[in-house]
Structures are given as C-alpha cells and as structure tokens.
Amino acid sequence: MPVERSEYLSSVWKDGIFNGRVAFVTGGAGTICSAQTRALVHLGADACIIGRNVEKTDAVAKDLATARKGARVIGIGGCDVRDPESLNKAAERCVKELGAIDFVIAGAAGNFVAPISGLSSKGFKSVMDIDVLGTFNTIKATVPYLIESAKRNPNPSKDGLTGGRIIFVSASFHYTGMPLQAHVAAAKSSVDSLMASVSLEYGPYGITSNVISPGAIADTEGMRRLSGGNKGDQWQIAASVPLARWGTIRDIADATVYLFSDTGNYVNGEVLVVDGAAWRLKTASGPGTDSSTQYPQFLLNGELAKYAKDARDGRSKL
C-alpha cells in the first residue's frame, strides 16, 4: 500500500523533476534514508538501496517502489559498507540494471549509548568503521559514476534535470559535544570533513557534495534507541527545541530534494542542519536521560542511559 505523499514530501515539489535519475543509497532500509529515497522515487527517480540485512533491504525496496507507478527500486542486501569490494559490486550492479548513478546518499551509520569509561576500543572502532570508513568506501565506489552523471547534466541545469550529487547524513553531536556519544561525535565530524574534501576535489568536475544533519526526528530507529522511555520526558525534550517539536522524516526528505534538484545548483561543501535550531540550545544531559537527571550529577552518580535501549533486545545499554 503506497504511503501518503504528505507523510514524506511537501506539496511544493513538482512531479517528474528527477525523471531518468538513479539514486544509490547506503543505509537505504533505515527510517530516514528510506524516506529520502521514497521522495526521490515519487518525483521520478529509480533507486538502489544498500543494506546488511537481506530480507529487510529487499522488503523496503519493494515498498519504496510503490511511491510511483513504474518505479524501479533494487534492494541489495548483504552489503557491508566497510568492505570496499562489496560496495564496488553493488555500484556496478546498480549501473548495469538501472543505467547510471546520478545521486548518492551516504547514510549507513552505527550508534549506541556509552560513556568513555564504558566504551571499548572495539566499540569505538565499530562506529568509526561503519560511519567513516563506510563513507569513504561509498565515495570511492560511486564517484566515477557521479563524474559521468555530472558530464551529462551540466551545472547550472538548462532543462531542470540534475546529476552528479552526493549527500552525507551526519548529526550535530560534535558541534558542542555530548556525553555518552564520544564515538559518534568523532565519526560524524569525520564524515563532515570527508564531505568538504569531496566538494573541493570533485567540484571542478561538476559534482556537488553536502551534508544533511538531522536533529531529533520522530518515529525513527535512532530516536527510539536514544531518547528517554518516558513519554512525558519526550515531550519535554521536544519543548526544548526552539520550534517546540521534533522533526519529521518529511523535513529530511524535503532537504534532500532541495539539494539534489535544480534549486541546489550552487550549494556545495555545506552542512544543512535540519533540527529546528536545537543544537544552538544543546544541553549536556545526553541521550537516554530523563527530566530527573541533571548534568553533571548523573555522570558522577553513575546514572547513565537510564532509558536508552538496545534495539536488538530492548535492554538498557548500561
């Protein structure tokens, strides 16, 4: 059953603006990246989503194909972004079956809640490998195709159609720092840096490279894992955002369409923060805490991640 357009895409975008385009999306079976992909598909693109879980990736691909009659969406499961050969083969298959790679979303990521004292080198490395090495591998696997797409679609666009664009999905933890997220902050700051390097080295080829940094997005895997389990505390968190609400997947999808479409022709090397200005009021409480926890007492008392849950088994991480 197709999802209502209003849930993932604003009414301002014209149908067909991505006709004939192909999107390659790592982490494409996740809540945010699948919404980004759904918006692109609705507006005319075909897509190839990459994931580690074969069944989930295939199921999400079939669901995304319902966004537009005649859409082609390939799900490539069993692909680990930490393995460059696996990504190279996925990119090759995408081009063979769909004809090109015009847009890339590098969205594969790992996260869990842990203080530095409880964070092992293995755990730190795992997040760095998925987020940073995985992003680097995605760049290497897709840039040759993006260069070709940029050649076919000169910037600025003369016909409204675009190509040769890449978006990295980041976060805002590293702007001010956040307890219990040292590993994620280190990884996302590296992702932002890779984005900047791509903008400088491949901008002359016509490629645009930008970051979207989501804030707290409602009903996503990340927020279910990182936010407090008490509904009242979740409302309090939302009230601390200057816009007084959590974000929606549509907010992120709209930002994606903006950067990939004709409207984003001259946007390159930028971080687009989509969080209602929450990072400017960032507190030091950290994820998984509730309204009763105050910085720095919850750290000194060892009251860590009271409500943060492990997505695999529902237990507290700490």
Side-chain angles (χ1 to χ4, degrees):
M1 177 73 77
V3 179
E4 287 291 328
R5 171 182 168 137
S6 61
E7 293 187 21
Y8 62 89
L9 192 63
S10 295
S11 61
V12 298
W13 306 112
K14 181 182 177 181
D15 288 346
I17 59 175
F18 295 135
N19 280 351
R21 310 301 95 173
V22 176
F24 183 91
V25 185
T26 64
T31 316
I32 288 178
C33 289
S34 64
Q36 293 174 288
T37 308
R38 194 184 300 275
L40 300 178
V41 171
H42 181 95
L43 297 174
D46 293 322
C48 177
I49 64 170
I50 311 302
R52 293 179 65 185
N53 185 296
V54 175
E55 292 77 16
K56 180 181 179 181
T57 304
D58 184 59
V60 172
K62 291 178 180 177
D63 179 56
L64 292 176
T66 66
R68 189 189 82 253
K69 185 177 181 180
R72 296 179 297 167
V73 181
I74 301 170
I76 302 181
C79 181
D80 191 335
V81 295
R82 295 170 291 187
D83 177 8
E85 186 58 29
S86 181
L87 266 178
N88 287 338
K89 289 181 178 179
E92 290 171 2
R93 179 182 167 188
C94 178
V95 173
K96 181 179 180 180
E97 296 189 24
L98 299 181
I101 294 177
D102 300 293
F103 305 136
V104 173
I105 298 175
N111 195 355
F112 54 89
V113 175
I116 293 174
S117 61
L119 181 61
S120 68
S121 294
K122 183 178 180 180
F124 184 89
K125 184 177 184 297
S126 177
V127 172
M128 293 296 287
D129 282 352
I130 296 171
D131 286 46
V132 185
L133 181 61
T135 295
F136 177 76
N137 289 339
T138 301
I139 294 166
K140 295 285 284 186
T142 61
V143 152
Y145 304 111
L146 291 178
I147 290 174
E148 292 303 313
S149 176
K151 286 181 181 178
R152 295 191 301 270
N153 300 279
N155 187 346
S157 173
K158 295 181 179 180
D159 57 7
L161 297 174
T162 59
R165 304 195 176 185
I166 182 167
I167 288 173
F168 304 85
V169 180
S170 187
S172 61
F173 300 132
H174 53 294
Y175 301 163
T176 57
M178 179 178 283
L180 317 183
Q181 292 285 274
H183 47 312
V184 182
K188 293 307 187 183
S189 63
S190 298
V191 169
D192 288 5
S193 182
L194 282 170
M195 174 279 293
S197 294
V198 172
S199 72
L200 295 173
E201 294 189 25
Y202 292 99
Y205 291 92
I207 292 174
T208 69
S209 167
N210 295 286
V211 153
I212 289 178
S213 181
I217 306 300
D219 301 320
T220 59
E221 297 167 6
M223 288 313 298
R224 282 193 291 270
R225 188 178 304 178
L226 298 177
S227 66
N230 185 303
K231 275 290 184 181
D233 291 315
Q234 292 185 28
W235 281 110
Q236 183 173 350
I237 294 170
S240 70
V241 178
L243 284 181
R245 68 173 178 88
W246 282 13
T248 67
I249 57 172
R250 191 177 82 172
D251 294 321
I252 308 305
D254 280 337
T256 303
V257 175
Y258 161 64
L259 290 174
F260 279 165
S261 70
D262 201 17
T263 58
N265 285 335
Y266 206 51
V267 184
N268 188 33
E270 288 299 318
V271 175
L272 177 55
V273 184
V274 187
D275 78 339
W279 78 269
R280 295 187 178 277
L281 289 177
K282 191 77 74 179
T283 64
S285 59
T289 58
D290 65 11
S291 57
S292 68
T293 56
Q294 298 293 322
Y295 178 86
Q297 288 306 313
F298 79 94
L299 290 168
L300 298 175
N301 296 338
E303 298 171 354
L304 303 176
K306 183 177 180 180
Y307 290 113
K309 303 296 182 181
D310 187 317
R312 293 168 297 182
D313 56 20
R315 294 180 299 174
S316 175
K317 286 295 293 182
L318 299 172

